[in-house]
Coordinates of all heavy atoms in Angstrom, one line a residue:
N2 N -28.4 3.5 -5.4 CA -28.9 3.3 -4.0 C -27.8 3.5 -3.0 O -28.1 3.6 -1.8 CB -29.4 1.9 -3.9 CG -30.7 1.7 -4.7 OD1 -31.4 2.7 -5.0 ND2 -30.9 0.5 -5.0
D3 N -26.5 3.7 -3.4 CA -25.4 3.9 -2.5 C -25.3 5.4 -2.1 O -24.5 5.7 -1.2 CB -24.1 3.5 -3.1 CG -24.1 2.0 -3.6 OD1 -25.2 1.4 -3.5 OD2 -23.1 1.5 -4.0
I4 N -26.0 6.2 -2.8 CA -25.8 7.7 -2.6 C -26.7 8.1 -1.4 O -27.9 7.7 -1.4 CB -26.1 8.5 -3.8 CG1 -25.2 8.0 -5.0 CG2 -26.0 9.9 -3.6 CD1 -25.6 8.5 -6.3
E5 N -26.2 9.0 -0.6 CA -27.0 9.6 0.5 C -26.8 11.1 0.5 O -25.7 11.6 0.5 CB -26.6 9.0 1.9 CG -27.4 9.5 3.0 CD -27.0 9.0 4.3 OE1 -25.9 8.3 4.4 OE2 -27.8 9.2 5.3
Y6 N -27.9 11.8 0.5 CA -27.9 13.2 0.6 C -28.1 13.6 2.0 O -29.0 13.2 2.7 CB -29.0 13.9 -0.3 CG -29.1 15.3 -0.2 CD1 -28.1 16.2 -0.7 CD2 -30.2 15.9 0.5 CE1 -28.2 17.6 -0.6 CE2 -30.3 17.3 0.6 CZ -29.3 18.1 0.1 OH -29.4 19.5 0.2
I7 N -27.1 14.5 2.6 CA -27.2 14.9 3.9 C -27.1 16.4 3.9 O -26.3 17.0 3.3 CB -26.1 14.3 4.8 CG1 -26.2 12.8 4.9 CG2 -26.1 15.0 6.2 CD1 -25.0 12.2 5.6
Y8 N -28.1 17.1 4.6 CA -28.1 18.5 4.8 C -28.2 18.8 6.3 O -29.1 18.5 7.0 CB -29.3 19.1 4.1 CG -29.4 20.6 4.2 CD1 -28.7 21.4 3.4 CD2 -30.3 21.2 5.2 CE1 -28.8 22.8 3.5 CE2 -30.3 22.5 5.3 CZ -29.6 23.4 4.5 OH -29.6 24.7 4.6
S9 N -27.1 19.4 6.8 CA -27.0 19.7 8.2 C -27.2 21.2 8.4 O -26.8 22.1 7.6 CB -25.7 19.3 8.8 OG -25.5 17.9 8.7
T10 N -27.8 21.6 9.6 CA -28.0 23.0 10.0 C -27.1 23.2 11.2 O -27.2 22.4 12.2 CB -29.4 23.2 10.3 OG1 -30.2 22.9 9.2 CG2 -29.7 24.7 10.7
Y11 N -26.3 24.2 11.2 CA -25.4 24.5 12.3 C -25.6 25.9 12.8 O -26.0 26.8 12.1 CB -23.9 24.4 11.8 CG -23.4 23.1 11.5 CD1 -23.6 22.5 10.2 CD2 -22.8 22.3 12.5 CE1 -23.1 21.2 10.0 CE2 -22.3 21.0 12.2 CZ -22.5 20.5 10.9 OH -22.0 19.2 10.6
Y12 N -25.3 26.1 14.1 CA -25.2 27.4 14.7 C -24.1 27.4 15.7 O -24.1 26.6 16.6 CB -26.6 27.8 15.3 CG -26.5 29.2 16.0 CD1 -26.5 30.3 15.2 CD2 -26.4 29.3 17.3 CE1 -26.4 31.6 15.8 CE2 -26.3 30.6 17.9 CZ -26.3 31.7 17.1 OH -26.2 33.0 17.7
N13 N -23.2 28.4 15.6 CA -22.1 28.5 16.5 C -21.3 27.2 16.6 O -20.9 26.7 17.7 CB -22.6 28.9 17.9 CG -21.5 29.7 18.7 OD1 -20.6 30.1 18.1 ND2 -21.7 29.7 20.0
M14 N -21.1 26.6 15.4 CA -20.3 25.3 15.3 C -20.9 24.1 16.0 O -20.3 23.1 16.2 CB -18.9 25.5 15.8 CG -18.1 26.6 14.9 SD -16.4 26.9 15.4 CE -15.8 25.5 16.0
V15 N -22.2 24.2 16.3 CA -23.0 23.1 16.9 C -24.0 22.6 15.9 O -24.8 23.5 15.4 CB -23.6 23.5 18.2 CG1 -24.5 22.4 18.8 CG2 -22.6 23.9 19.2
E16 N -24.1 21.3 15.6 CA -25.1 20.8 14.6 C -26.4 20.8 15.3 O -26.6 20.2 16.4 CB -24.7 19.4 14.2 CG -25.6 18.9 13.1 CD -25.2 17.6 12.5 OE1 -24.4 16.8 13.2 OE2 -25.6 17.3 11.4
L17 N -27.4 21.5 14.8 CA -28.7 21.6 15.3 C -29.6 20.5 14.8 O -30.3 19.8 15.6 CB -29.4 22.9 15.0 CG -28.6 24.2 15.5 CD1 -29.3 25.4 15.0 CD2 -28.4 24.2 17.0
A18 N -29.6 20.3 13.5 CA -30.5 19.3 12.9 C -29.9 18.8 11.6 O -29.0 19.5 11.0 CB -31.9 19.9 12.6
R19 N -30.4 17.7 11.1 CA -29.8 17.1 9.9 C -30.9 16.4 9.2 O -31.7 15.6 9.7 CB -28.7 16.1 10.3 CG -28.2 15.3 9.1 CD -27.3 14.2 9.5 NE -26.1 14.7 10.2 CZ -25.2 13.9 10.8 NH1 -25.4 12.6 10.8 NH2 -24.2 14.5 11.4
F20 N -30.9 16.6 7.8 CA -31.8 15.8 6.9 C -30.9 14.8 6.3 O -29.9 15.1 5.7 CB -32.4 16.7 5.9 CG -33.2 15.9 4.9 CD1 -34.5 15.6 5.1 CD2 -32.7 15.5 3.7 CE1 -35.3 14.8 4.2 CE2 -33.4 14.7 2.8 CZ -34.7 14.4 3.1
S21 N -31.4 13.6 6.3 CA -30.7 12.5 5.6 C -31.7 11.8 4.7 O -32.8 11.5 5.0 CB -30.2 11.4 6.6 OG -29.7 10.3 6.0
S22 N -31.3 11.6 3.4 CA -32.2 11.0 2.4 C -32.4 9.6 2.7 O -33.4 9.0 2.3 CB -31.6 11.2 1.0 OG -30.3 10.5 0.9
S23 N -31.5 8.9 3.5 CA -31.8 7.5 3.8 C -32.9 7.4 4.9 O -33.6 6.4 4.9 CB -30.5 6.8 4.2 OG -30.0 7.4 5.4
V24 N -32.9 8.4 5.8 CA -34.0 8.4 6.8 C -35.2 9.0 6.3 O -36.3 8.6 6.6 CB -33.5 9.2 8.1 CG1 -34.6 9.3 9.1 CG2 -32.2 8.6 8.6
G25 N -35.1 10.0 5.4 CA -36.2 10.6 4.8 C -36.9 11.7 5.6 O -38.0 12.2 5.3
K26 N -36.2 12.2 6.6 CA -36.8 13.3 7.5 C -35.6 13.9 8.2 O -34.5 13.5 8.2 CB -37.8 12.7 8.4 CG -37.3 11.8 9.5 CD -38.4 11.4 10.5 CE -37.7 10.5 11.6 NZ -38.7 10.2 12.6
Y27 N -36.0 15.0 8.9 CA -35.0 15.7 9.7 C -34.9 15.1 11.1 O -35.9 14.6 11.6 CB -35.4 17.2 9.9 CG -35.0 18.1 8.8 CD1 -35.8 18.3 7.7 CD2 -33.8 18.7 8.8 CE1 -35.5 19.2 6.7 CE2 -33.4 19.6 7.8 CZ -34.2 19.8 6.8 OH -33.9 20.6 5.7
V28 N -33.7 15.1 11.7 CA -33.5 14.6 13.0 C -32.8 15.8 13.8 O -31.8 16.4 13.3 CB -32.6 13.4 13.0 CG1 -32.3 13.0 14.4 CG2 -33.2 12.3 12.2
G29 N -33.3 16.1 14.9 CA -32.8 17.2 15.8 C -31.7 16.7 16.8 O -31.9 15.5 17.2
Y30 N -30.7 17.5 17.1 CA -29.7 17.1 18.0 C -29.6 18.0 19.2 O -28.9 17.6 20.2 CB -28.3 17.1 17.3 CG -28.3 16.0 16.2 CD1 -28.3 16.4 14.9 CD2 -28.2 14.7 16.5 CE1 -28.3 15.4 13.9 CE2 -28.2 13.7 15.5 CZ -28.2 14.1 14.2 OH -28.2 13.2 13.2
T31 N -30.3 19.1 19.2 CA -30.3 20.0 20.4 C -31.8 20.3 20.6 O -32.7 19.9 19.9 CB -29.6 21.3 20.1 OG1 -30.3 22.0 19.0 CG2 -28.1 21.1 19.7
E32 N -32.1 21.0 21.7 CA -33.4 21.4 22.1 C -34.1 22.2 20.9 O -35.2 21.9 20.5 CB -33.5 22.1 23.4 CG -34.9 22.5 23.8 CD -34.9 23.2 25.1 OE1 -33.9 23.3 25.8 OE2 -36.0 23.8 25.5
Y33 N -33.4 23.2 20.5 CA -33.9 24.0 19.4 C -33.9 23.2 18.1 O -34.9 23.3 17.3 CB -33.0 25.2 19.2 CG -33.4 26.1 18.0 CD1 -34.5 26.9 18.2 CD2 -32.7 26.1 16.8 CE1 -34.9 27.7 17.1 CE2 -33.1 27.0 15.8 CZ -34.2 27.8 16.0 OH -34.7 28.6 14.9
G34 N -32.9 22.3 17.8 CA -32.9 21.5 16.6 C -34.1 20.5 16.6 O -34.6 20.3 15.5
L35 N -34.5 20.0 17.8 CA -35.6 19.1 17.8 C -36.9 19.8 17.4 O -37.8 19.3 16.7 CB -35.8 18.5 19.2 CG -34.7 17.5 19.6 CD1 -34.8 17.2 21.1 CD2 -34.9 16.2 18.8
K36 N -37.1 21.1 17.9 CA -38.3 21.9 17.5 C -38.3 22.2 16.0 O -39.3 22.1 15.4 CB -38.3 23.2 18.3 CG -38.5 23.0 19.8 CD -38.5 24.3 20.5 CE -38.6 24.0 22.0 NZ -38.5 25.3 22.8
Q37 N -37.1 22.6 15.5 CA -37.0 22.9 14.1 C -37.3 21.6 13.2 O -38.0 21.7 12.2 CB -35.7 23.5 13.7 CG -35.5 24.9 14.2 CD -36.5 25.8 13.5 OE1 -37.4 26.3 14.2 NE2 -36.5 26.0 12.2
A38 N -36.7 20.5 13.6 CA -36.9 19.2 12.9 C -38.4 18.9 12.9 O -38.9 18.4 11.8 CB -36.1 18.1 13.5
D39 N -39.0 19.0 14.0 CA -40.5 18.7 14.1 C -41.3 19.6 13.1 O -42.2 19.2 12.4 CB -40.9 18.9 15.5 CG -42.4 18.5 15.7 OD1 -42.7 17.4 15.2 OD2 -43.2 19.2 16.3
Y40 N -40.9 20.9 13.1 CA -41.6 21.9 12.2 C -41.4 21.5 10.8 O -42.3 21.5 10.0 CB -41.0 23.3 12.5 CG -41.6 24.3 11.6 CD1 -42.8 24.8 11.7 CD2 -40.7 24.8 10.6 CE1 -43.3 25.8 10.9 CE2 -41.2 25.8 9.7 CZ -42.5 26.3 9.9 OH -43.0 27.3 9.0
W41 N -40.1 21.2 10.4 CA -39.8 20.8 9.0 C -40.5 19.5 8.6 O -40.9 19.4 7.5 CB -38.3 20.8 8.8 CG -37.7 22.1 8.8 CD1 -38.1 23.3 8.3 CD2 -36.4 22.4 9.3 NE1 -37.2 24.3 8.6 CE2 -36.1 23.8 9.2 CE3 -35.4 21.6 9.9 CZ2 -35.0 24.4 9.6 CZ3 -34.2 22.3 10.3 CH2 -34.0 23.6 10.1
N42 N -40.5 18.6 9.5 CA -41.1 17.3 9.2 C -42.6 17.3 9.0 O -43.2 16.4 8.4 CB -40.7 16.2 10.3 CG -39.3 15.9 10.2 OD1 -38.6 15.9 9.2 ND2 -38.7 15.5 11.4
K43 N -43.2 18.3 9.5 CA -44.7 18.5 9.4 C -45.1 19.0 8.0 O -46.3 19.0 7.7 CB -45.3 19.4 10.5 CG -45.3 18.7 11.8 CD -45.9 19.6 12.9 CE -45.9 18.9 14.2 NZ -46.4 19.8 15.3
D44 N -44.1 19.5 7.3 CA -44.4 20.2 6.0 C -44.1 19.2 4.9 O -42.9 19.0 4.5 CB -43.6 21.4 5.8 CG -43.9 22.2 4.6 OD1 -44.7 21.7 3.8 OD2 -43.4 23.3 4.4
P45 N -45.1 18.5 4.3 CA -44.8 17.4 3.3 C -44.2 18.0 2.0 O -43.4 17.3 1.4 CB -46.2 16.8 3.0 CG -47.2 17.7 3.6 CD -46.5 18.6 4.6
S46 N -44.6 19.2 1.6 CA -44.0 19.7 0.4 C -42.5 20.0 0.6 O -41.7 19.8 -0.3 CB -44.7 21.0 0.0 OG -44.6 22.0 0.9
Y47 N -42.1 20.5 1.8 CA -40.7 20.7 2.1 C -39.9 19.4 2.1 O -38.8 19.3 1.6 CB -40.5 21.5 3.3 CG -39.1 22.0 3.6 CD1 -38.4 22.9 2.8 CD2 -38.4 21.4 4.7 CE1 -37.1 23.2 3.0 CE2 -37.1 21.8 4.9 CZ -36.5 22.7 4.1 OH -35.2 23.1 4.3
L48 N -40.5 18.4 2.7 CA -39.8 17.1 2.8 C -39.6 16.5 1.4 O -38.6 15.9 1.0 CB -40.6 16.1 3.7 CG -40.3 16.3 5.2 CD1 -41.2 15.2 5.9 CD2 -38.9 16.2 5.5
A49 N -40.7 16.7 0.5 CA -40.6 16.2 -0.8 C -39.5 16.9 -1.6 O -38.8 16.3 -2.4 CB -41.9 16.4 -1.5
Q50 N -39.3 18.2 -1.3 CA -38.3 19.0 -2.0 C -36.9 18.5 -1.6 O -36.0 18.3 -2.4 CB -38.4 20.5 -1.6 CG -37.3 21.3 -2.1 CD -37.4 22.7 -1.6 OE1 -38.4 23.1 -0.9 NE2 -36.4 23.5 -1.8
M51 N -36.7 18.2 -0.3 CA -35.4 17.7 0.2 C -35.1 16.3 -0.3 O -34.0 16.0 -0.7 CB -35.4 17.7 1.7 CG -35.5 19.1 2.3 SD -34.2 20.2 1.8 CE -32.8 19.5 2.6
K52 N -36.1 15.5 -0.4 CA -36.0 14.1 -1.0 C -35.6 14.2 -2.4 O -34.8 13.4 -2.9 CB -37.2 13.3 -0.8 CG -37.5 12.9 0.7 CD -38.8 12.2 0.9 CE -39.1 12.0 2.3 NZ -40.4 11.3 2.5
A53 N -36.2 15.1 -3.2 CA -35.9 15.3 -4.6 C -34.5 15.8 -4.9 O -34.0 15.6 -6.0 CB -37.0 16.2 -5.2
T54 N -33.9 16.4 -3.9 CA -32.6 17.0 -4.1 C -31.6 15.9 -4.4 O -30.6 16.1 -5.2 CB -32.1 17.8 -2.9 OG1 -33.1 18.8 -2.6 CG2 -30.8 18.4 -3.1
K55 N -31.8 14.7 -3.8 CA -30.9 13.6 -4.1 C -30.9 13.2 -5.5 O -29.9 13.0 -6.1 CB -31.3 12.4 -3.2 CG -30.5 11.1 -3.5 CD -31.0 10.0 -2.7 CE -30.3 8.7 -3.1 NZ -30.8 7.5 -2.3
E56 N -32.1 13.2 -6.1 CA -32.3 12.8 -7.5 C -31.7 13.9 -8.4 O -31.1 13.6 -9.4 CB -33.8 12.6 -7.8 CG -34.4 11.5 -7.0 CD -33.8 10.1 -7.2 OE1 -33.5 9.8 -8.3 OE2 -33.7 9.4 -6.2
T57 N -32.0 15.2 -8.1 CA -31.6 16.2 -9.0 C -30.2 16.7 -8.9 O -29.6 17.0 -9.9 CB -32.5 17.5 -8.8 OG1 -32.4 17.9 -7.4 CG2 -34.0 17.2 -9.1
Y58 N -29.6 16.6 -7.7 CA -28.2 17.0 -7.5 C -27.3 15.9 -7.5 O -26.3 15.8 -8.2 CB -28.1 17.9 -6.3 CG -26.7 18.5 -6.1 CD1 -26.3 19.5 -6.9 CD2 -25.8 17.9 -5.2 CE1 -25.0 20.1 -6.7 CE2 -24.6 18.4 -5.1 CZ -24.2 19.5 -5.8 OH -22.9 20.0 -5.7
C59 N -27.5 15.0 -6.6 CA -26.5 13.9 -6.3 C -26.3 13.0 -7.5 O -25.2 12.7 -7.9 CB -26.8 13.1 -5.1 SG -26.8 14.1 -3.6
K60 N -27.4 12.5 -8.0 CA -27.3 11.5 -9.1 C -26.7 12.1 -10.4 O -26.1 11.4 -11.2 CB -28.6 10.8 -9.3 CG -29.0 10.0 -8.1 CD -30.0 8.9 -8.5 CE -30.2 8.0 -7.3 NZ -31.2 7.0 -7.5
N61 N -26.9 13.4 -10.6 CA -26.4 14.0 -11.8 C -24.9 14.3 -11.7 O -24.2 14.5 -12.7 CB -27.1 15.4 -12.1 CG -28.5 15.2 -12.6 OD1 -28.8 14.1 -13.2 ND2 -29.4 16.1 -12.3
H62 N -24.4 14.3 -10.5 CA -22.9 14.6 -10.3 C -22.1 13.4 -9.8 O -20.9 13.6 -9.6 CB -22.8 15.8 -9.2 CG -23.3 17.1 -9.7 ND1 -24.6 17.5 -9.6 CD2 -22.7 18.1 -10.4 CE1 -24.8 18.6 -10.1 NE2 -23.7 19.1 -10.6
V63 N -22.7 12.3 -9.7 CA -22.0 11.1 -9.2 C -20.9 10.7 -10.2 O -19.8 10.2 -9.8 CB -22.9 10.0 -8.9 CG1 -23.5 9.3 -10.1 CG2 -22.2 8.9 -8.0
D64 N -21.1 10.9 -11.5 CA -20.1 10.5 -12.5 C -18.9 11.4 -12.5 O -17.8 11.0 -12.8 CB -20.8 10.5 -13.9 CG -21.8 9.4 -14.1 OD1 -21.7 8.4 -13.4 OD2 -22.7 9.6 -14.9
N65 N -19.1 12.7 -12.0 CA -18.0 13.6 -11.9 C -17.0 13.3 -10.8 O -15.9 13.6 -10.8 CB -18.5 15.0 -11.8 CG -19.3 15.5 -13.0 OD1 -19.1 15.0 -14.1 ND2 -20.1 16.5 -12.8
A66 N -17.6 12.6 -9.8 CA -16.7 12.3 -8.6 C -16.0 11.0 -8.9 O -15.0 10.6 -8.8 CB -17.6 12.1 -7.4

């Protein structure tokens, strides 16, 4: 439960949006990022894929760290 998966989207060194497994959805930080986050959050299969990444990637590699 201590592990958090974070996926950030950047353009020109500015963070546009971020997915956080603790929040469970995308959060936008710019005008364009807000639109993209809204688009991604409306797709339940894509959100499920991002949530599953924590289980498939992070938990399998936590012992290596």
Side-chain angles (χ1 to χ4, degrees):
N2 292 335
D3 304 4
I4 301 170
E5 180 180 15
Y6 174 71
I7 297 174
Y8 179 81
S9 296
T10 304
Y11 290 87
Y12 179 74
N13 205 19
M14 295 178 34
V15 175
E16 186 174 23
L17 303 176
R19 176 188 299 171
F20 175 83
S21 172
S22 63
S23 63
V24 177
K26 65 178 186 173
Y27 276 90
V28 177
Y30 296 107
T31 64
E32 182 179 347
Y33 180 73
L35 290 169
K36 291 178 185 177
Q37 285 300 112
D39 185 49
Y40 174 76
W41 290 323
N42 289 332
K43 288 181 181 176
D44 187 354
S46 63
Y47 186 66
L48 280 181
Q50 175 188 352
M51 294 303 289
K52 291 176 186 177
T54 304
K55 175 183 173 182
E56 302 296 323
T57 59
Y58 183 78
C59 296
K60 291 202 174 179
N61 287 333
H62 292 88
V63 72
D64 293 332
N65 295 337

